[in-house]
Amino acid sequence: MDARLENLDYAFNPRSIAFVGASETLNKWGFLILNNILTGGYEGKVYPVNPGRDTVLGLPAYSSIRDISADIDLAVFCVPPRHVLGAIDDCIGRGIKVGVVVTAGFKELGDDGAELESELLRKGREAGMVMIGPNCQGISCPPNKLYAWMPILFHPPAGKISFISQSGNILNMLIGAAAACGFGASKAISSGNEADLKTEDYLSYLSEDSDTDAIVSYMEGVRDGRTLLERASSVSKKKPIIMLKGGRTQSGISAARSHTGAMAVSERLFEAAAGQAGIIMVHSIEEAGIVASSFINRPLPRGKRVGIITGGGGLGVLAADFCSEQALEIPSLSPSVLSELGRLMPDWWVPGNPVDLVAGLDFNIIKPVIEILMRSGEVDALMFLWIGSPKKREPVDTSRGGQDISGMWEVLRKRFDDYVRELYGLMNELNVPLYISTSLELGEPAADEVSRNEQPMVYPSVESACRAISAMAAYGEYRRRFDTP
Amino acid sequence: MDARLENLDYAFNPRSIAFVGASETLNKWGFLILNNILTGGYEGKVYPVNPGRDTVLGLPAYSSIRDISADIDLAVFCVPPRHVLGAIDDCIGRGIKVGVVVTAGFKELGDDGAELESELLRKGREAGMVMIGPNCQGISCPPNKLYAWMPILFHPPAGKISFISQSGNILNMLIGAAAACGFGASKAISSGNEADLKTEDYLSYLSEDSDTDAIVSYMEGVRDGRTLLERASSVSKKKPIIMLKGGRTQSGISAARSHTGAMAVSERLFEAAAGQAGIIMVHSIEEAGIVASSFINRPLPRGKRVGIITGGGGLGVLAADFCSEQALEIPSLSPSVLSELGRLMPDWWVPGNPVDLVAGLDFNIIKPVIEILMRSGEVDALMFLWIGSPKKREPVDTSRGGQDISGMWEVLRKRFDDYVRELYGLMNELNVPLYISTSLELGEPAADEVSRNEQPMVYPSVESACRAISAMAAYGEYRRRFDTP
């Protein structure tokens, strides 16, 4: 790894932060970002810089970086473009490792801006800093409770997924999509104009980061496709890169041009090359969140053969369709496996894959069925589709007769959690990945569970589970080409 | 419409129900369904039939239908297969309009079952009833608070979407998917083996139902493709049919065969023919819910040209991509429209479509921008992509400095609701469909709002909004071929 990239350690784990452009004006970035740092739980030193004030948000303010005598690891810049250059001059000789330039008004505004950006880059190098941005939303590192970014009081939970995005808003939404699956973030970078560090640099850095198990990247512009793909190809040998690309169509490219000045690349060529480099291409923010979460705490499938266990016949049919459409296989099971299963099933069971649990969701049957399939060697991944009724939210009216059995739901929820834990235990023991899906709120992580990441996700739809298997099977294939046996 | 189909009025609006197989045993259908009827708010008479009991769930029980002297509109059967035949004999001469046969163990079990099913059909006809099922989960009609089906205490809100499903579980999930969008159900039918009434019959019935604005259908088996498509084609001239088909691939077909004994049809041929018949084919349960909800309280696009207004540049890029991938167009706007917009925008605005609201989400700009585009005649549909930060759920810690500005979120939520209402008002005035999307909980209907259906849905993702526009534009095209100008 490029020695300069090691500076990034100080972006995510700074002992101290100088904040240039600290403000108390509610809708200014200099307020929003500083406020997020202060209220997010960051435990290092924070030095607000504002020449017009004695204090900002309760902290003593400095009129320039020169006035801060203590060591500074990270500097954040929120002042207008021309002032950033002066502020970076102040950093020369200070040993500051990283600058996050939030300020917009550089290359994205045309030739004058591009010239300013070159100067920014030159000065940053002179000061010995690596630079994130300009024209970016900031960075975050939830395990350190560091949230140096714009979105209001957005302090997502810590986890094992890292994010790189050329769009700030999409960064937030990608993190939100993973959080909706119950998974938190390790590092998040809004890369902006990428004057100094580029997506490929962040990929290389995160590849070496022991706290990152999967990387999500949003790209609009590819400046140096060859370098990007070479780096990605080597990162993919260690951990999965899930990439969402904006500018896949003529209309998208033309929109991207006015957004980040992105250059057109042939989408078909890029997708093919990305596949060769082991990159997992996704096509929506939600898909990115689901696929990335799938990799956390779950073994890779050893092939494309999927066993489906379903609580409802129709869902099994849809799952078989989705899997086939995703280039997965639904193999027939051998007579010996079917007869083993048959011994657990009622007489009217029709043997086959999907395994339709016609007897209902009796866990005393579900678990052995899953175990038989995991041990069979006939499937590489298992899907378990849970059905049931949604939670009754209103009080039950028994004035016309009938019984209030709404208490059953809480019992079910508790049982479901236990079952999931037990089944994922089985998965880890036997090393065959399991994908549990339910459309019920059962699968939704309670707010306090989000940050724990104790177990793999529960899928909110059959389709999303199939997509996850397909992505993981393709990635498993890539890895097998390079892993020494 | 076939005169027999008029009997269905009594399925959804019965003055009285005889319930054969009433039970107090918790996991029996005879309990779950009856309990749903009693606790769901149904206001007609209910007559439980159980020869072994004096009362069931607080109501006096009858030993057979013969013992009920009052008029009966609807009979529900939950007794074992052979007993159903006897119970239907008891219905002869009683003027019962509809029988819902929940009981399984007919055609789906092979030749013997098929014979039993023919006899069931014959007896039902003799009794003058139309028959729903057998092997079905039941029916519901939320506007009448009638929930004669299995899923535990599942009493979804009333709305304008009706559902027909050959799978009971998928019926629940389809209704759940629409409810997640904030829309309720008008009529829901689990059609089971379709011994008597078939999907095409329910389509014809719902076509005439003034309380149904959109129809969602899940099919696995197509017995008489020609009749189905002929009927659908004429229904589609009045209201949209959104169809999810199970058995799209070889694996799906083979799973369907053991589920409902469905026959294989070439998926490509079926999809093409369905498109000709105006049917909107969807590929997942979630998509069905979103597309169906989109038709409620929203005008049809007059063409494929989409205007995109976005709070974030990256989202605009993704929206342009999605739209193009869905065969929609993102037209360039004329110089005169761009200059009208430019007068509202800051200097650094880059004119184009998507319209990037670089100035942020200032409603004083958003509304006139949307109005200019709606009046321009240059777009057939408008997409508005809202961005922002998710709600902060934990208390804000200001012990290290900073401000607790979490109150802003509630202000935003309230404002968002007002804006949505105002913007949809504009849509109804100018008759250009608007699709608002946000990934924030802002768009999620509060529980008490679900049943009100006051305004069109807010989309949970950019992609889902694009899919909705595409489906509505295709349907609009179908309708224009038949509507007299």
Side-chain angles (χ1 to χ4, degrees):
Chain A
M1 190 170 69
D2 180 349
R4 294 188 72 237
L5 290 182
E6 287 171 18
N7 278 16
L8 276 174
D9 287 346
Y10 296 92
F12 302 113
N13 192 15
R15 289 158 303 184
S16 55
I17 303 173
F19 193 98
V20 182
S23 168
E24 290 192 357
T25 307
L26 224 65
N27 58 357
K28 280 202 169 179
W29 297 340
F31 164 75
L32 292 173
I33 300 176
L34 180 58
N35 199 53
N36 279 336
I37 295 173
L38 296 175
T39 57
Y42 170 65
E43 287 170 357
K45 292 278 178 198
V46 180
Y47 305 107
V49 175
N50 182 328
R53 302 185 57 109
D54 291 337
T55 64
V56 178
L57 292 172
L59 277 72
Y62 298 79
S63 55
S64 106
I65 282 190
R66 292 183 189 279
D67 297 331
I68 305 168
S69 55
D71 284 345
I72 301 166
D73 285 341
L74 167 67
V76 179
F77 302 92
C78 288
V79 286
R82 298 254 156 227
H83 294 87
V84 174
L85 299 181
I88 290 190
D89 272 338
D90 294 343
C91 298
I92 293 171
R94 290 301 307 273
I96 299 178
K97 308 295 192 300
V98 187
V100 174
V101 186
V102 172
T103 311
F106 290 91
K107 205 187 58 188
E108 79 279 12
L109 290 193
D111 289 345
D112 288 359
E115 209 171 291
L116 209 60
E117 191 164 306
S118 304
E119 211 181 327
L120 176 76
L121 179 59
R122 195 181 50 72
K123 281 178 188 284
R125 295 246 158 118
E126 204 179 331
M129 303 191 299
V130 294
M131 247 182 328
I132 296 169
N135 187 22
C136 80
Q137 182 179 272
I139 57 165
S140 86
C141 181
N144 287 334
K145 296 182 192 160
L146 172 68
Y147 301 94
W149 61 12
M150 289 174 200
I152 298 170
L153 298 180
F154 185 43
H155 301 140
K160 296 287 192 181
I161 307 173
S162 287
F163 299 84
I164 312 160
S165 175
Q166 293 182 346
S167 155
N169 286 305
I170 290 184
L171 179 64
N172 309 340
M173 292 172 75
L174 288 167
I175 294 172
C181 298
F183 292 84
S186 172
K187 322 245 170 335
I189 304 139
S190 166
S191 64
N193 289 5
E194 303 193 346
D196 182 6
L197 298 185
K198 298 173 180 53
T199 294
E200 50 262 41
D201 297 314
Y202 300 116
L203 286 175
S204 297
Y205 176 80
L206 293 170
S207 172
E208 304 292 323
D209 177 37
S210 63
D211 208 27
T212 295
D213 286 353
I215 304 169
V216 175
S217 159
Y218 173 74
M219 292 196 76
E220 275 178 20
V222 183
R223 239 172 307 189
D224 179 355
R226 177 178 297 234
T227 304
L228 175 81
L229 291 167
E230 274 172 14
R231 297 263 197 109
S233 154
S234 104
V235 174
S236 295
K237 285 166 198 156
K238 300 180 70 177
K239 48 189 84 171
I241 302 170
I242 294 94
M243 185 177 283
L244 174 63
K245 205 169 150 303
R248 303 192 294 263
T249 65
Q250 209 44 56
S251 301
I253 288 166
S254 120
R257 199 172 297 127
S258 55
H259 176 225
T260 50
M263 270 177 303
V265 285
S266 154
E267 183 54 23
R268 212 179 303 169
L269 284 183
F270 184 84
E271 286 229 0
Q276 287 291 318
I279 298 176
I280 299 152
M281 298 299 290
V282 294
H283 293 90
S284 75
I285 292 167
E286 296 69 31
E287 190 189 351
I290 286 168
V291 169
S293 300
S294 301
F295 280 96
I296 307 302
N297 298 335
R298 194 192 312 264
L300 290 173
R302 279 183 287 257
K304 297 181 159 194
R305 299 168 307 166
V306 182
I308 300 169
I309 297 129
T310 181
L315 269 192
V317 173
L318 287 182
D321 280 334
F322 287 140
C323 283
S324 300
E325 285 162 355
Q326 294 276 344
L328 296 166
E329 293 158 23
I330 312 297
S332 300
L333 300 170
S334 67
S336 71
V337 168
L338 288 176
S339 95
E340 248 191 293
L341 294 174
R343 280 195 284 276
L344 298 165
M345 296 297 204
D347 293 343
W348 59 91
W349 181 57
V350 184
N353 179 19
V355 178
D356 187 347
L357 296 167
V358 278
L361 291 170
D362 178 354
F363 196 66
N364 295 324
I365 291 176
I366 293 169
K367 197 181 168 188
V369 162
I370 288 179
E371 185 161 353
I372 289 169
L373 288 170
M374 282 185 174
R375 290 190 189 276
S376 71
E378 298 183 9
V379 295
D380 303 305
L382 270 181
M383 192 171 221
F384 171 41
L385 314 176
W386 184 277
I387 56 162
S389 310
K391 184 174 182 171
K392 175 84 179 172
R393 299 188 182 281
E394 308 79 34
V396 176
D397 174 9
T398 54
S399 63
R400 291 178 181 82
Q403 275 181 38
D404 179 359
I405 51 171
S406 55
M408 284 173 68
W409 201 90
E410 279 308 324
V411 175
L412 184 69
R413 154 104 217 183
K414 164 100 191 61
R415 248 189 238 165
F416 181 80
D417 290 347
D418 292 344
Y419 291 170
V420 167
R421 207 165 293 124
E422 249 186 89
L423 293 177
Y424 281 134
L426 205 57
M427 168 181 92
N428 291 327
E429 188 192 327
L430 300 176
N431 221 28
V432 176
L434 174 64
Y435 301 79
I436 300 177
S437 140
T438 173
S439 66
L440 305 177
E441 301 95 330
L442 285 173
E444 271 177 31
D448 61 339
E449 289 174 51
V450 174
S451 57
R452 282 197 269 117
N453 285 347
E454 278 174 4
Q455 61 193 22
M457 74 174 285
V458 172
Y459 293 81
S461 68
V462 179
E463 195 182 20
S464 61
C466 296
R467 174 63 191 124
I469 302 176
S470 154
M472 291 188 70
Y475 179 68
E477 209 175 311
Y478 179 84
R479 283 287 293 266
R480 280 193 300 279
R481 281 161 47 198
F482 301 100
D483 284 357
T484 39
Chain B
M1 191 171 67
D2 179 350
R4 293 188 72 235
L5 290 182
E6 287 170 20
N7 278 16
L8 277 174
D9 287 346
Y10 295 93
F12 302 112
N13 192 14
R15 289 159 301 186
S16 55
I17 303 174
F19 193 97
V20 181
S23 168
E24 289 192 357
T25 308
L26 225 65
N27 58 359
K28 279 202 168 177
W29 296 342
F31 164 74
L32 292 172
I33 301 176
L34 180 59
N35 199 53
N36 279 337
I37 295 173
L38 295 176
T39 58
Y42 170 66
E43 288 170 356
K45 292 279 179 198
V46 181
Y47 305 107
V49 175
N50 181 329
R53 300 185 57 109
D54 290 337
T55 65
V56 178
L57 293 172
L59 278 73
Y62 297 78
S63 55
S64 107
I65 283 191
R66 292 185 188 279
D67 297 332
I68 306 168
S69 54
D71 283 344
I72 302 166
D73 284 341
L74 168 66
V76 179
F77 301 92
C78 288
V79 286
R82 299 252 156 228
H83 294 89
V84 174
L85 300 181
I88 291 191
D89 271 338
D90 293 343
C91 298
I92 294 171
R94 291 299 308 272
I96 300 177
K97 306 296 191 300
V98 188
V100 174
V101 185
V102 171
T103 312
F106 291 90
K107 205 186 58 186
E108 80 279 12
L109 290 194
D111 289 347
D112 287 0
E115 208 170 293
L116 209 61
E117 191 164 307
S118 305
E119 211 182 325
L120 177 76
L121 180 59
R122 194 180 51 72
K123 282 179 187 285
R125 296 247 159 117
E126 205 179 328
M129 304 190 297
V130 293
M131 246 182 329
I132 296 170
N135 187 22
C136 79
Q137 181 179 272
I139 58 165
S140 87
C141 182
N144 287 334
K145 297 182 192 160
L146 172 67
Y147 301 94
W149 61 13
M150 290 175 199
I152 298 170
L153 298 179
F154 185 43
H155 301 139
K160 294 287 190 181
I161 307 173
S162 286
F163 298 83
I164 312 162
S165 175
Q166 292 183 345
S167 154
N169 285 305
I170 291 183
L171 178 65
N172 307 342
M173 293 172 74
L174 288 167
I175 294 171
C181 298
F183 292 83
S186 173
K187 321 244 168 341
I189 303 139
S190 167
S191 64
N193 289 3
E194 303 193 346
D196 182 7
L197 298 184
K198 297 172 182 53
T199 294
E200 50 262 41
D201 297 314
Y202 299 117
L203 286 175
S204 297
Y205 176 79
L206 293 170
S207 172
E208 304 292 323
D209 176 39
S210 63
D211 207 26
T212 296
D213 286 353
I215 304 169
V216 175
S217 159
Y218 172 73
M219 290 197 78
E220 277 180 17
V222 183
R223 237 172 308 190
D224 179 356
R226 175 179 297 235
T227 304
L228 174 80
L229 292 167
E230 273 173 14
R231 297 262 197 110
S233 154
S234 106
V235 174
S236 294
K237 285 168 196 156
K238 300 180 70 175
K239 49 189 85 168
I241 302 170
I242 294 96
M243 185 177 284
L244 174 62
K245 204 169 150 301
R248 304 193 292 264
T249 65
Q250 209 43 56
S251 300
I253 288 166
S254 118
R257 199 172 298 127
S258 56
H259 177 223
T260 50
M263 271 177 301
V265 285
S266 155
E267 183 54 22
R268 209 177 307 166
L269 285 182
F270 185 83
E271 286 228 2
Q276 289 292 319
I279 298 176
I280 299 152
M281 297 300 289
V282 294
H283 293 90
S284 74
I285 292 167
E286 296 68 31
E287 190 189 351
I290 286 169
V291 169
S293 300
S294 301
F295 280 95
I296 308 301
N297 298 335
R298 194 191 312 264
L300 289 173
R302 278 182 289 256
K304 296 181 160 196
R305 300 168 307 165
V306 182
I308 300 170
I309 298 130
T310 180
L315 269 192
V317 174
L318 287 182
D321 280 333
F322 288 140
C323 283
S324 299
E325 287 163 353
Q326 294 276 346
L328 296 166
E329 293 159 22
I330 312 297
S332 300
L333 300 170
S334 67
S336 72
V337 168
L338 288 176
S339 96
E340 247 190 293
L341 293 174
R343 279 195 284 277
L344 298 164
M345 296 297 202
D347 292 344
W348 60 90
W349 181 58
V350 183
N353 179 21
V355 179
D356 188 347
L357 296 167
V358 277
L361 291 169
D362 177 355
F363 197 67
N364 295 325
I365 293 177
I366 294 168
K367 197 181 168 187
V369 163
I370 289 178
E371 183 159 356
I372 288 169
L373 288 170
M374 282 184 174
R375 290 190 189 277
S376 72
E378 298 183 9
V379 294
D380 303 305
L382 269 181
M383 193 170 220
F384 172 40
L385 313 178
W386 185 277
I387 56 161
S389 310
K391 183 173 183 173
K392 175 82 178 170
R393 300 190 182 280
E394 309 76 36
V396 175
D397 172 11
T398 55
S399 63
R400 290 178 182 82
Q403 275 181 38
D404 179 0
I405 52 171
S406 54
M408 286 173 65
W409 203 90
E410 279 308 326
V411 175
L412 183 69
R413 154 104 216 182
K414 163 99 191 63
R415 249 189 236 163
F416 180 81
D417 290 347
D418 292 345
Y419 291 170
V420 167
R421 206 165 294 124
E422 248 185 89
L423 292 176
Y424 281 134
L426 205 57
M427 167 181 93
N428 291 327
E429 188 192 327
L430 300 175
N431 221 28
V432 177
L434 175 64
Y435 301 79
I436 300 176
S437 140
T438 173
S439 67
L440 304 177
E441 301 96 329
L442 286 171
E444 271 177 32
D448 61 337
E449 289 174 51
V450 175
S451 58
R452 282 197 268 118
N453 285 347
E454 277 175 5
Q455 59 194 25
M457 73 174 286
V458 173
Y459 292 82
S461 69
V462 179
E463 193 181 22
S464 60
C466 296
R467 174 62 191 123
I469 302 177
S470 154
M472 291 187 70
Y475 180 68
E477 210 176 311
Y478 179 83
R479 284 286 293 265
R480 281 193 300 279
R481 281 160 49 199
F482 301 101
D483 284 359
T484 39

